[in-house]
Amino acid sequence: FNTTSQVRAQPSFFSIDPYLKTPRIQQWSLSVQRQLTENLLLEAAYVGSASTHLPHLGDVNLLLPNFMPGSGKVAQPVVYNPAPYPSLASIFNRVDSVTSANYSSFQSKLEQRYSHGLSFLAAYTWSKSLDTSSAARDNGLMAYSHTWNRRLDYGPSDFDVAHNFVLSEVWELPVGHGKKFGGNWRGPLDQIFGGWQAGSILTARSGLPATCLLGSGPGINNAHLEQDVCSVTGQTNPNNGPKNILRYWDPSAFYIPSETEVFGNQGRNSLRGPRFVTFDFNTSKTFRITERLSTQFRFEAFNLLNHPVFRNPNLFLDSYPSLTNGRPNLNVPLSNSLLGTFGTISATSVPNRQLQFALKVIW
């Protein structure tokens, strides 16, 4: 609505689409199992789902330019239309039901039921998750909300993991009284060295997707987007970077869109971050004191190999230390002073190696 009254501060508010639709989720699967031995089971499955009318928060009071019919490109010369509600500020909290998503995966597992002191489970998933938004506000941001063309937001989900492998096992060591080794042990020798159990979990998965973002640019300064995506040259694959903590992606692939381009052209979540690999280990032994009373000693090691598992790099291109005409200057010397700028990694997803000991009383 318009008003002729004097406005000292433009208000903003939370609103809900009066025609909000009920979210719909459809799931389907097909699995095949094969018992290879008495205790060994193999399973393979296809699992899929589709979701529509999911809620999303968007801004409906943008100053959008004119677009060329059918192309989605900004019409030239650039002319910005007035905000639909000029007396109001940006309406960031507009709830509508425009988000859609789909998921397809091949899932397999090999399971060894407990036999001869050993059990394990190996699981592998090859999947693809696509959507127009992975949350009401993607990563707490609204960089991907192209209200004028929702198809521009369609891409890998924020949590999309192409390959995921997990191996867990529990092994009762064949050492001690009545076991293969030390079967005749008794007394202190068996109490100390017999009856131990070991287990581990290995997790390995491909990197999470990411999008190069802008905190300043024509789409933000003129159209009033909260954030925008970068533009890519198309001459090089941005994922073909050095893959180190000071320069993970190829910075020459990105640039800040010009005043005539207005908005970035990079596809949502077209980047990939570091892979995730961890190995956890534990061992335990139960000491029987009486028929009903026993104690259990446990040793646990998380990220046993102390392998760094890095988070995604910094996403904001305008944090790069040197830009020339909106393009990164590749002559910037690589040093730790760059940490915290675009394409650098300054944090890990899991802590460094952690060791802990525990003693539990069981009665």
Side-chain angles (χ1 to χ4, degrees):
F1 54 88
N2 295 321
T3 178
T4 58
S5 63
Q6 184 177 4
V7 178
R8 293 185 180 272
Q10 291 179 302
S12 183
F13 59 88
F14 177 88
S15 64
I16 299 177
D17 183 358
Y19 302 102
L20 199 68
K21 297 179 180 180
T22 301
R24 178 181 298 174
I25 301 176
Q26 303 173 60
Q27 299 175 319
W28 52 88
S29 64
L30 175 65
S31 64
V32 177
Q33 292 184 343
R34 173 71 175 177
Q35 186 168 337
L36 303 179
T37 66
E38 181 180 0
N39 297 297
L40 189 62
L41 179 69
L42 176 64
E43 180 177 353
Y46 167 76
V47 178
S49 68
S51 307
T52 54
H53 309 316
L54 301 177
H56 187 261
L57 292 175
D59 186 355
V60 295
N61 207 28
L62 300 173
L63 280 68
L64 296 177
N66 295 319
F67 295 94
M68 298 175 60
S71 67
K73 296 182 178 180
V74 175
Q76 303 297 321
V78 179
V79 176
Y80 290 93
N81 296 303
Y85 310 102
S87 298
L88 301 176
S90 297
I91 307 176
F92 290 137
N93 291 329
R94 165 73 173 190
V95 181
D96 50 28
S97 50
V98 296
T99 298
S100 59
N102 63 79
Y103 172 79
S104 294
S105 68
F106 166 75
Q107 301 179 8
S108 62
K109 71 175 183 179
L110 182 65
E111 181 178 6
Q112 167 71 41
R113 300 187 182 95
Y114 185 80
S115 176
H116 302 291
L118 175 67
S119 67
F120 69 82
L121 176 63
Y124 168 73
T125 300
W126 176 36
S127 64
K128 189 71 172 179
S129 180
L130 298 165
D131 56 35
T132 53
S133 176
S134 298
R137 285 170 61 92
D138 296 270
N139 293 329
L141 308 173
M142 294 184 64
Y144 321 131
S145 185
H146 295 89
T147 57
W148 61 94
N149 187 351
R150 302 285 182 179
R151 288 178 295 179
L152 297 176
D153 296 333
Y154 187 67
S157 304
D158 293 349
F159 47 82
D160 176 56
V161 175
H163 303 281
N164 187 38
F165 175 75
V166 179
L167 172 63
S168 61
E169 56 85 16
V170 176
W171 183 31
E172 186 177 322
L173 302 182
V175 178
H177 181 71
K179 304 293 178 63
K180 182 176 182 179
F181 302 101
N184 297 324
W185 288 355
R186 295 183 182 276
L189 186 63
D190 185 57
Q191 286 289 329
I192 296 174
F193 297 105
W196 285 90
Q197 187 179 76
S200 65
I201 300 176
L202 169 67
T203 303
R205 64 172 183 251
S206 51
L208 291 170
T211 307
C212 176
L213 301 177
L214 296 173
S216 178
I220 300 162
N221 303 333
N222 302 330
H224 294 178
L225 292 181
E226 192 174 355
Q227 286 91 24
D228 194 12
V229 298
C230 306
S231 283
V232 290
T233 63
Q235 299 175 354
T236 181
N237 184 347
N239 285 298
N240 292 338
K243 297 291 191 296
N244 59 57
I245 64 172
L246 295 178
R247 183 172 288 175
Y248 192 80
W249 297 308
D250 183 358
S252 67
F254 308 97
Y255 68 95
I256 298 176
S258 66
E259 295 290 337
T260 56
E261 292 174 303
V262 183
F263 304 111
N265 63 14
Q266 185 198 6
R268 172 175 167 261
N269 281 342
S270 57
L271 302 176
R272 286 287 166 172
R275 64 180 181 269
F276 184 104
V277 180
T278 62
F279 180 73
D280 302 331
F281 174 81
N282 73 83
T283 184
S284 64
K285 175 175 172 56
T286 300
F287 299 87
R288 184 167 299 280
I289 301 175
T290 66
E291 184 177 348
R292 295 186 176 182
L293 182 65
S294 61
T295 61
Q296 184 185 73
F297 170 79
R298 293 185 62 85
F299 166 72
E300 297 175 325
F302 302 95
N303 193 9
L304 176 65
L305 304 179
N306 207 26
H307 176 76
V309 182
F310 294 116
R311 289 187 182 181
N312 275 357
N314 184 293
L315 302 178
F316 285 88
L317 179 62
D318 37 15
S319 70
Y320 196 80
S322 178
L323 295 169
T324 304
N325 296 324
R327 298 175 183 267
N329 180 4
L330 303 184
N331 295 323
V332 174
L334 297 181
S335 68
N336 289 339
S337 63
L338 294 178
L339 291 175
T341 63
F342 173 74
T344 64
I345 301 175
S346 55
T348 56
S349 297
V350 299
N352 294 335
R353 178 170 51 217
Q354 293 182 327
L355 307 178
Q356 66 182 35
F357 299 88
L359 188 64
K360 182 166 59 175
V361 178
I362 305 172
W363 71 90

